[in-house]
Amino acid sequence: MLRLTKQTMNNVVIFSMLFMMLLFNLDSFLPAGKAEGERPLLPQESYVLKIEQGSQRLERAGQQWRQVAERIDAAVSPENQINAWQSARLKPVESVDQQVAASSPYVVVVWLAGQSEGLVVGFYPGQADTWVKIHGQWFLLTGVTMHELLPWNPA
C-alpha cells in the first residue's frame, strides 16, 4: 500500500486547490468573442426599481408600477411600459448618421436593485429608427417603439 508523508499530502492539497482555481476561472483566460447578435436593453434577471427621465419617472409602488409625469398617454399603462422595457432588444451598429449623433438625446436613468449607480441610456429618435447609446456603444432599438418606452415624450 502506498503511504503518503505529511509533506506529500500537503503538496497534493495545494496542487488540487490551484487546479480548482484554474478551472473556476478558465473563462477569464480565454479570449472573449465579440457579441454580434442582439441583446436585451436591460440586463437579464435584473430587478428594476425606477426609470427616470428628468421629472418624469416610472417607479415601483409596492407590487405595482406608477407613472409620474406631467403628460402621459393613457394608451400606455405602467405595466405595458415596464413590459416594453423588459422586452426591448438592442442590435449593435458599426456607425451612426452624424446628424443623429449630433442631436440631443433623451437621457434616461434606470435604477436596478443591487447597483449603486443607475444605468444611463441615451435615446436618439430618428425618422424611422431609434438609436440607443449605452457606455459609449451605439445600438438600434428593436422589438418596441420609443413611445412604448417613454410615453411622456412627444411623438
Side-chain angles (χ1 to χ4, degrees):
M1 182 152 153
L2 182 65
R3 306 266 298 163
L4 297 176
T5 64
K6 190 175 187 178
Q7 182 180 5
T8 306
M9 192 60 185
N10 284 341
N11 288 338
V12 168
V13 170
I14 290 171
F15 283 112
S16 299
M17 294 300 287
L18 288 173
F19 182 70
M20 285 176 42
M21 289 170 44
L22 176 73
L23 282 178
F24 291 138
N25 295 306
L26 192 59
D27 60 337
S28 65
F29 296 117
L30 298 175
K34 188 175 180 183
E36 295 290 331
E38 289 185 351
R39 70 176 189 90
L41 173 60
L42 299 177
Q44 298 242 330
E45 304 297 322
S46 61
Y47 188 79
V48 180
L49 300 173
K50 182 174 25 173
I51 298 172
E52 296 179 309
Q53 181 195 6
S55 62
Q56 293 94 323
R57 63 187 182 272
L58 175 67
E59 61 188 12
R60 273 192 191 276
Q63 294 295 321
Q64 304 294 320
W65 288 93
R66 169 177 60 199
Q67 294 168 327
V68 179
E70 298 163 3
R71 178 185 109 29
I72 301 173
D73 185 353
V76 180
S77 70
E79 289 76 24
N80 290 344
Q81 188 179 3
I82 193 64
N83 288 339
W85 276 89
Q86 292 171 337
S87 65
R89 307 285 296 165
L90 298 176
K91 180 180 176 184
V93 293
E94 295 296 321
S95 62
V96 176
D97 184 6
Q98 291 301 325
Q99 187 177 11
V100 171
S103 65
S104 58
Y106 293 118
V107 178
V108 178
V109 180
V110 181
W111 295 96
L112 304 172
Q115 306 265 334
S116 60
E117 295 180 4
L119 174 66
V120 179
V121 182
F123 290 97
Y124 295 78
Q127 295 291 345
D129 297 317
T130 300
W131 285 271
V132 179
K133 189 174 184 182
I134 302 176
H135 301 299
Q137 288 185 289
W138 287 97
F139 300 93
L140 207 69
L141 182 66
T142 62
V144 297
T145 64
M146 175 84 165
H147 180 68
E148 292 174 296
L149 297 178
L150 304 172
W152 45 71
N153 287 332

